Amino acid sequence: MNKPKNNPPTQKEHIVAYLEILDSEEKMKNLQESDLLLAQLAWIYNDVMKWPDQVKAGGHPDITVKIFSHNVLIAMETGDEEHYPANCYSVAQFCATFQTMALTYGLFLHGAITVGKFVEKEYQSLF
């Protein structure tokens, strides 16, 4: 029986934003506060994704959002040179809207945007 060949992982360049949730480590120590924090992050994400006029990246299939208890990672493939500035703007706009929505829940986020490479293998992005 022939086994299907696994494609070797490829490295694709991405625009990556890291947003740290301030004071989240303290909140995660208390079960009720940690549950509330995770729920708030889910609500914020849903609110951001409902604002396509405010966030051109809202619902954008190329943006990946990973929400953790202490931070949020947002990534988008850089694309060709022609679309690179627009993609950077989309990620920055997504971050700004996420931070603004977080303020309504009393959450403060700060972070940075950079460019880096991720390994991609068969429809999986590995952060």
Side-chain angles (χ1 to χ4, degrees):
M1 178 197 257
N2 290 340
K3 284 186 174 181
K5 286 186 176 182
N6 287 340
N7 294 333
T10 58
Q11 289 190 348
K12 294 187 177 181
E13 196 168 67
H14 286 74
I15 302 156
V16 182
Y18 170 85
L19 298 175
E20 181 181 2
I21 305 157
L22 300 178
D23 298 328
S24 61
E25 288 184 46
E26 280 301 312
K27 290 179 181 181
M28 293 307 290
K29 291 178 183 177
N30 178 305
L31 183 60
Q32 289 177 331
E33 285 189 51
S34 67
D35 287 347
L36 177 60
L37 175 63
L38 294 175
Q40 288 172 329
L41 291 171
W43 298 330
I44 293 165
Y45 175 79
N46 287 331
D47 288 346
V48 170
M49 297 309 282
K50 290 178 188 175
W51 281 30
D53 293 342
Q54 299 295 323
V55 183
K56 299 218 187 304
H60 196 293
D62 295 330
I63 283 189
T64 302
V65 180
K66 303 281 186 187
I67 299 176
F68 301 95
S69 58
H70 303 295
N71 56 53
V72 178
L73 290 177
I74 300 159
M76 178 183 223
E77 194 173 325
T78 55
D80 57 31
E81 284 185 32
E82 180 182 332
H83 294 103
Y84 182 78
N87 290 347
C88 286
Y89 179 75
S90 292
V91 171
Q93 192 176 25
F94 189 96
C95 291
T97 303
F98 201 96
Q99 287 176 300
T100 301
M101 296 302 290
L103 289 173
T104 63
Y105 294 96
L107 298 176
F108 299 94
L109 288 76
H110 72 135
I113 298 176
T114 189
V115 176
K117 289 187 179 183
F118 290 116
V119 175
E120 293 203 359
K121 183 177 180 180
E122 297 181 27
Y123 310 108
Q124 293 181 355
S125 292
L126 305 175
F127 284 99

